[in-house]
Structures are given as structure tokens and as C-alpha cells.
């Protein structure tokens, strides 16, 4: 990079900051203008670095194979705004095709508009908030990024996550490949639950997103967290979600060495399938059990206490007797709720088990709320089946700390640290050349501020610098 480029960026900032003292109306506008100046200077430096890299690729190319045609501009959006870089187009004599070596080195696809860092920001925000709001937040950094652009980035990543989950599941359950997880654990807790989201472009009003969580235990203390948690989610059938979970968990844990597997849920049939698949004990989720008890017996305190105590002793006959008595006393809707509770307990009695405090399940409701619900159940949110599956898989990946793994893969770029000081031409310009160039390119040295102490003593000192430290 020519020393004049560095000097120009510095002087651009200085000139802009000087101008702010007369233009800024208040602290907010001052902050905004400084931010814009820094962004503009960053774009200048970034473009210069890219063009220098393009020049290096030009020098090192196989000249017999690659014929230089002309310079061609490309505009992209970055975390510091839109920029345009001029890079060289070549004709490949071997294939008669055309190539941009800079695009290939940086992994720029033909229709890629966002830089990798801005893609990552769009994906993070798009999985945190509605796409319009994400675009509004990004607009503070990169003006012009639309809600559709954020949506596209999320869909591309979600499609990759869905494809990977399908391939991993088929590798195990279709091709018979045994996953090679290496983590050792004596016991695992598995919990599953579904979340109903509003459907879009579907005959159904709602679709069910399923979530499965695996963990080794719970940390001690008042606010207990799950140890070594792993999450799988998607808008798929019950059998399919458990197969995805088995393939995923099997790639993490050595399941052949797990002695005890406890599967918890709200009694839905698809959750019982997980207990069968993992050869585990089925446990009725305490949250949903309390919810059913409260809804059915909230108006009958005597029955509530009697039923709770009988269930605590795992006495099925006594529990049913108390429910029958309560049903006789009730009328109408209250009686129907009690009978529904009786049917629920009858179907799930095998899931009532006494466990030590440290082994108790019941974490799934919070996991659904924090992982899926806060993004997908927002007011007005509607989802196509594909969109819901993509978002659910990305939210599970985010919970696993793997979200950015689903960004569009890029080929290995030419290392910019291979541009040595000699190649960057930091010492090619003479002081008089730099000053003459600055006189033409930087008005601050010759304009109305030229007589100020800052310009006279500081900027001219910078302009007479021969090298950059």
C-alpha cells in the first residue's frame, strides 16, 4: 500500500473532525458524524488493501495461461457500509472462460452481496428478532441492508442446517453407519416437547416445532443449569426428530457406554418413542403434571391435596378414588376437566417415578421458552413449514454454540500477511511527491483551514513523513 493512502485516510479523518465543530448540532449528531467518518476511512483503507491484493495476484499469476482483459468494479456491503473495489478480469486460455482472481481468493460468490462479517451479523440478528427489526438494527452500521437480505441469509444457513441433519440421520438409519461419539457419560437426561407456531401458506392454522434436549446432569446451587447440554429441533415427525437426535447425540457421546437414559415429556406419544429408541426410562414432566392438576382441581382444594399426596406415594388406586369423588361433586366443565385429568394420569402412570433431586427431569419447558419460543412465537409471526424447520434448526445450533458454522462456506483466501513491506511499497514515494499529491487530493492543506495551527504544524508534519512505522 502506498504511503499516500495511509496519509490520506488520516487526513480525511482530521479534516472531517475539524468540520464537525461548526456542523454538529448536538452530542447525538456529533457521535453520528464521527461514526460516519470512521466508516468512510475504513472503507478507503479496506478498498486499498483489496486492490493491493489484486495487484499481487496479477504479478504472481501464470501469464501464459491468464490473459489480463480489464479492470471491473464490484460493489458489496460490509460492516462499515457499501464499498466498490476495482479488480482485474482475466481470460483463461486453457478453458476460454473468464476469471476474477481476487474474487476466487476471497471466496466471493457470483451473487454474493454481503461480506462474511456482515453475513454473520445478519444471521445472528435474524435469529434473535424479526427480519425487519434486524434490518433496522443493521442499518446503523450498513445502510441499505433490507429485511429480505436478512431473510435470505437466514434461509441459506437454515437450508444447510436442515440438509446436514438429514444427511447425518440417513447415514445412521439408512446406511447403517455407527456414529463415533467420544464423550463419556454414565447417564443422560433426554427431554422433549413441542411448540405450536402459527402457519403460513398452509391448510393448517398451526404447526408443531419439536425440541429435544440431552444433558448429563444439573449444576449445584440455587440457579441450576444443565451440564453439557445438546439441543436438536425441527418441524418434523416424532420418529424423525428422535432419529435426528440419536444421530446428533451419538456423534458427541459414546452412547454404548451410557448406563442410564431417562426420557422426560408431557405424555405426547412421540416422546414415548424416544424412550423406546434409547431404551430409556420414561418420566412424566413435573411442569405439565402440575399444570394438569391445577387446571382440573384448582376449585377443589381438598381434592387437590388428597390427589397430590396419593400421587406422591405412587398409590394409583387411591389417586383414582379421590378423582372419582371429586368428579361426583363437580358439574359441567369442571367435571370434564377432572375426567380429562383421570385419563391423562391413566395413560401416563408409568411415567410417575421418584427420583433424587439431582436426577429429576423437568427442564424442557424452560428450554423451549428460551431456545424456540422467544423467537418463533412473537406477535404476528407466521411460518411456512420450510421456514419454521430452518429457523428451529438454526436456533438449536445457536443453543449449541454452532450457529456461525452454517454460514456459506468460503474457499481459503490468500493470506494478506503474505504482503510484505516491500510488496506494499511503503517506501516508494519521496516526501515532495507525497506533499504534491496531498495538495491536490486533500483540501484541508490549502483550503480555509490551512492557516490553523493544527494544519500548519501537525498535518504538514504528517505529509512530510516518508515511512509509516
Amino acid at each position: 500500500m502506498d504511503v499516500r493512502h495511509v496519509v490520506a485516510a488520516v487526513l480525511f479523518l482530521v479534516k472531517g473532525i475539524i468540520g464537525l465543530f461548526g456542523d454538529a448540532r448536538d452530542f447525538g449528531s456529533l457521535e453520528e458524524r464521527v461514526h460516519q467518518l470512521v466508516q468512510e476511512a475504513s472503507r478507503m483503507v479496506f478498498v486499498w488493501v483489496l486492490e493491493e491484493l489484486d495487484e499481487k495476484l496479477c504479478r504472481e499469476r501464470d501469464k501464459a495461461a491468464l490473459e489480463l482483459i480489464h479492470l471491473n468494479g464490484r460493489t458489496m456491503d460490509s460492516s462499515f457500509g457499501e464499498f466498490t473495489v476495482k479488480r482485474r478480469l482475466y481470460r483463461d486460455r486453457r478453458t476460454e472462460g473468464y476469471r476474477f482472481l481476487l474474487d476466487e481468493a476471497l471466496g466471493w460468490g457470483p451473487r454474493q452481496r454481503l461480506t462474511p462479517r456482515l453475513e454473520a451479523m445478519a444471521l445472528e440478528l435474524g435469529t434473535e428478532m424479526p427480519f425487519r427489526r434486524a434490518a433496522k438494527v443493521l442499518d446503523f452500521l450498513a445502510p441499505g441492508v433490507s429485511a429480505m437480505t436478512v431473510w435470505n441469509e437466514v434461509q441459506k444457513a437454515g437450508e444447510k442446517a436442515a440438509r446436514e441433519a438429514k444427511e447425518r440421520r440417513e447415514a445412521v438409519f439408512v446406511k447403517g453407519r455407527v456414529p463415533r461419539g467420544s464423550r463419556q457419560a454414565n447417564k443422560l437426561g433426554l427431554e422433549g416437547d413441542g411448540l405450536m407456531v402459527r402457519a403460513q401458506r398452509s391448510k393448517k392454522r398451526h404447526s408443531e416445532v419439536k425440541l429435544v434436549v440431552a444433558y448429563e446432569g444439573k449444576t449445584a446451587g440455587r440457579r441450576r443449569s444443565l451440564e453439557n447440554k445438546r439441543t436438536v429441533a425441527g418441524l418434523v415427525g416424532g420418529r424423525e426428530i428422535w432419529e435426528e437426535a440419536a444421530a446428533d447425540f451419538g456423534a458427541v457421546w459414546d452412547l454404548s457406554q451410557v448406563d442410564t437414559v431417562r426420557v422426560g415429556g408431557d405424555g405426547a406419544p412421540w416422546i414415548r418413542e424416544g424412550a423406546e429408541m434409547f431404551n430409556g426410562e420414561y418420566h412424566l414432566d413435573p411442569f405439565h403434571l402440575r399444570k394438569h392438576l391445577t387446571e382440573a382441581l384448582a376449585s377443589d382444594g381438598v381434592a387437590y391435596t388428597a390427589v397430590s399426596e396419593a400421587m406422591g406415594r405412587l398409590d394409583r388406586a387411591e389417586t383414582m378414588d379421590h378423582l372419582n369423588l371429586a368428579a361426583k361433586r363437580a358439574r359441567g366443565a369442571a367435571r370434564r376437566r377432572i375426567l380429562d385429568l383421570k385419563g391423562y394420569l391413566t395413560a401416563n402412570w408409568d411415567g410417575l417415578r421418584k427420583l433424587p433431586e439431582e436426577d429429576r427431569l423437568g427442564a424442557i419447558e424452560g428450554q423451549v421458552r428460551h431456545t424456540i419460543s422467544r423467537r418463533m412465537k412473537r406477535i404476528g409471526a407466521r411460518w411456512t413449514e420450510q421456514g419454521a424447520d430452518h429457523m428451529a434448526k438454526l436456533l438449536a445450533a445457536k443453543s449449541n454454540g454452532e450457529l456461525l458454522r452454517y454460514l456459506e462456506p468460503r474457499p481459503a483466501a490468500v493470506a494478506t500477511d503474505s504482503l510484505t513491506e516491500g510488496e506494499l511499497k511503503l517506501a516508494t514515494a519521496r516526501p515532495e511527491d507525497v506533499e504534491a499529491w496531498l495538495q491536490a487530493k486533500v483540501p484541508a492543506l490549502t483550503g480555509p483551514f490551512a492557516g490553523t495551527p493544527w494544519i500548519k504544524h501537525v498535518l504538514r508534519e504528517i505529509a512530510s513523513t516518508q515511512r509509516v512505522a
Side-chain angles (χ1 to χ4, degrees):
M1 183 187 297
D2 198 304
V3 65
R4 293 174 298 184
H5 292 157
V6 179
V7 174
V10 174
L11 295 182
F12 172 83
L13 280 173
V14 171
K15 179 192 172 186
I17 291 172
I18 291 174
L20 287 179
F21 292 107
D23 297 339
R25 300 181 304 276
D26 50 41
F27 183 77
S29 62
L30 178 65
E31 180 183 10
E32 182 179 358
R33 288 290 296 121
V34 169
H35 177 74
Q36 292 171 350
L37 284 170
V38 172
Q39 281 192 311
E40 180 62 31
S42 299
R43 286 195 293 270
M44 293 165 62
V45 173
F46 193 49
V47 169
W48 293 332
V49 169
L50 292 177
E51 291 179 348
E52 197 66 46
L53 178 56
D54 188 55
E55 184 175 329
K56 171 181 167 60
L57 293 170
C58 179
R59 292 195 304 268
E60 296 179 351
R61 79 185 193 282
D62 182 353
K63 294 181 176 62
L66 296 174
E67 176 190 0
L68 177 61
I69 303 299
H70 59 73
L71 285 172
N72 194 298
R74 176 165 185 167
T75 300
M76 297 185 69
D77 292 312
S78 71
S79 57
F80 36 74
E82 183 182 274
F83 69 90
T84 300
V85 59
K86 293 182 179 179
R87 75 270 200 253
R88 292 165 175 82
L89 175 66
Y90 303 90
R91 183 174 69 85
D92 193 327
R93 295 189 176 97
R94 296 163 298 191
T95 64
E96 295 302 319
Y98 291 87
R99 300 170 59 186
F100 289 102
L101 295 186
L102 182 65
D103 293 21
E104 295 174 11
L106 299 177
W108 288 350
R111 291 176 295 277
Q112 181 185 349
R113 175 74 186 194
L114 274 57
T115 61
R117 186 164 185 264
L118 190 57
E119 283 181 338
M121 294 167 66
L123 184 56
E124 285 281 1
L125 290 174
T127 52
E128 282 290 332
M129 59 187 70
F131 301 123
R132 292 184 185 279
R133 192 177 304 171
K136 186 175 182 179
V137 173
L138 280 175
D139 192 62
F140 285 98
L141 289 176
V145 176
S146 67
M148 183 56 67
T149 299
V150 178
W151 180 88
N152 282 329
E153 292 302 319
V154 170
Q155 291 307 308
K156 285 192 299 182
E159 183 179 357
K160 182 180 178 183
R163 183 172 61 250
E164 182 181 289
K166 181 180 179 181
E167 291 172 353
R168 189 166 48 227
R169 178 176 61 85
E170 290 180 347
V172 176
F173 291 93
V174 177
K175 300 177 182 178
R177 297 174 186 169
V178 179
R180 302 295 182 184
S182 58
R183 187 171 182 82
Q184 301 294 311
N186 294 325
K187 58 185 178 181
L188 284 179
L190 306 182
E191 299 190 45
D193 198 6
L195 177 73
M196 302 305 293
V197 298
R198 298 177 70 185
Q200 185 180 44
R201 296 200 295 272
S202 173
K203 295 180 179 179
K204 299 183 297 184
R205 295 184 61 185
H206 294 86
S207 301
E208 184 181 39
V209 174
K210 295 180 176 65
L211 178 78
V212 175
V213 176
Y215 54 93
E216 296 176 13
K218 300 178 182 177
T219 59
R222 194 173 73 175
R223 298 194 65 178
R224 309 181 73 184
S225 59
L226 304 182
E227 293 182 339
N228 301 314
K229 181 189 68 175
R230 184 84 187 167
T231 305
V232 172
L235 186 65
V236 293
R239 185 74 182 180
E240 193 172 357
I241 193 65
W242 282 114
E243 288 181 352
E244 288 185 7
D248 184 279
F249 301 158
V252 176
W253 287 284
D254 183 355
L255 298 180
S256 66
Q257 300 301 311
V258 179
D259 297 326
T260 303
V261 176
R262 296 188 174 96
V263 179
D266 62 357
W270 71 267
I271 298 177
R272 287 181 172 275
E273 292 184 39
E276 296 172 4
M277 181 176 294
F278 284 87
N279 194 28
E281 298 176 355
Y282 172 69
H283 294 256
L284 191 60
D285 176 58
F287 173 84
H288 291 93
L289 177 59
R290 286 193 296 270
K291 180 180 177 182
H292 280 81
L293 279 171
T294 302
E295 289 176 349
L297 300 173
S299 60
D300 191 338
V302 174
Y304 184 93
T305 301
V307 170
S308 299
E309 291 176 352
M311 288 174 53
R313 295 189 294 270
L314 298 182
D315 190 327
R316 180 173 182 173
E318 184 181 351
T319 299
M320 297 305 165
D321 288 342
H322 288 303
L323 287 174
N324 288 332
L325 290 173
K328 289 180 181 180
R329 294 194 296 266
R331 294 291 183 272
R335 186 171 186 275
R336 286 195 297 272
R337 287 194 295 269
I338 295 173
L339 293 177
D340 288 343
L341 173 61
K342 182 180 176 181
Y344 179 74
L345 292 177
T346 299
N348 293 282
W349 191 264
D350 61 329
L352 298 178
R353 303 172 188 270
K354 288 185 177 180
L355 290 174
E357 178 66 26
E358 64 274 11
D359 290 335
R360 291 180 184 174
L361 304 179
I364 191 62
E365 189 68 20
Q367 294 301 311
V368 169
R369 183 170 61 255
H370 293 300
T371 304
I372 302 292
S373 180
R374 65 186 181 87
R375 175 62 181 93
M376 299 188 70
K377 289 283 282 188
R378 292 178 180 273
I379 296 175
R382 292 178 179 271
W383 305 89
T384 63
E385 290 189 358
Q386 184 183 70
D389 185 55
H390 288 176
M391 180 59 74
K393 283 179 166 52
L394 291 177
L395 293 173
K398 195 167 192 172
S399 177
N400 296 333
E402 299 174 350
L403 177 64
L404 298 186
R405 186 162 64 84
Y406 295 105
L407 287 173
E408 194 72 22
R410 309 293 180 202
V414 173
T416 53
D417 58 7
S418 65
L419 299 175
T420 64
E421 182 175 328
E423 290 173 318
L424 289 175
K425 300 182 294 186
L426 290 178
T428 57
R430 296 174 298 171
E432 54 268 29
D433 294 334
V434 174
E435 185 161 1
W437 177 80
L438 288 171
Q439 295 286 349
K441 298 292 184 181
V442 185
L445 291 176
T446 56
F449 295 102
T452 64
W454 174 259
I455 300 298
K456 290 172 61 177
H457 301 296
V458 180
L459 295 195
R460 294 190 185 280
E461 181 67 24
I462 295 174
S464 64
T465 301
Q466 182 175 5
R467 292 178 180 269
V468 176

